Amino acid sequence: MTDSPVAAVDPREVLAGLRGSIDNIDAALIFLLAERFKATKQVGVLKAQHGMPPSDPTREEQQIARLKRLAAEADLDPEFAEKWFNFVVAEVIRHHTAAASG
Ligand SMILES: C=C(O[C@@H]1C=C(C(=O)O)C=C[C@H]1O)C(=O)O
């Protein structure tokens, strides 16, 4: 093993490289989530101003179906995509409910 003519790959360097990508991806996700919540907060204000209910189950169903289809195409577990969506929407509804109560 140690006599191999091929230069040994240092696993610590491989790990550091992969973690660099993970860091970039996590940062991008935070920025994307921040933009999403900026938009949904405006939706919450609009709904509160016009007496619309905080949640829209039909829209949520459509989004879940769409996101599960996209997840499958991207080789991501569709059930995970649905869980992620429901987790985010629960927070959005919390914001909308707060906006509706002043
Ligand atoms: C943002 C909205 O409000 C709620 C939140 C949703 C979301 O975060 O995707 C979708 C539907 C609604 O339950 C909306 O109605 O579009």
Side-chain angles (χ1 to χ4, degrees):
M1 279 295 263
T2 50
D3 295 337
S4 166
V6 178
V9 177
D10 183 343
R12 288 165 304 186
E13 277 181 29
V14 177
L15 181 60
L18 291 170
R19 284 182 175 169
S21 292
I22 291 167
D23 286 353
N24 288 346
I25 292 165
D26 285 350
L29 288 173
I30 292 296
F31 289 130
L32 289 171
L33 272 175
E35 286 304 306
R36 191 184 200 281
F37 276 104
K38 276 184 203 169
T40 57
K41 279 186 176 168
Q42 290 179 60
V43 170
V45 171
L46 190 72
K47 286 180 174 179
Q49 284 170 342
H50 297 277
M52 296 182 227
S55 77
D56 182 341
T58 305
R59 163 78 176 161
E60 289 176 26
E61 271 174 38
Q62 289 166 344
Q63 273 298 70
I64 288 169
R66 176 170 168 266
L67 293 177
K68 286 176 88 171
R69 204 171 54 240
L70 290 173
E73 282 173 21
D75 204 20
L76 178 72
D77 180 0
E79 299 306 315
F80 173 77
E82 182 172 6
K83 275 191 231 164
W84 171 84
F85 181 76
N86 285 332
F87 179 69
V88 171
V89 169
E91 181 68 3
V92 172
I93 300 305
R94 201 176 64 76
H95 294 167
H96 286 188
T97 306
S101 61

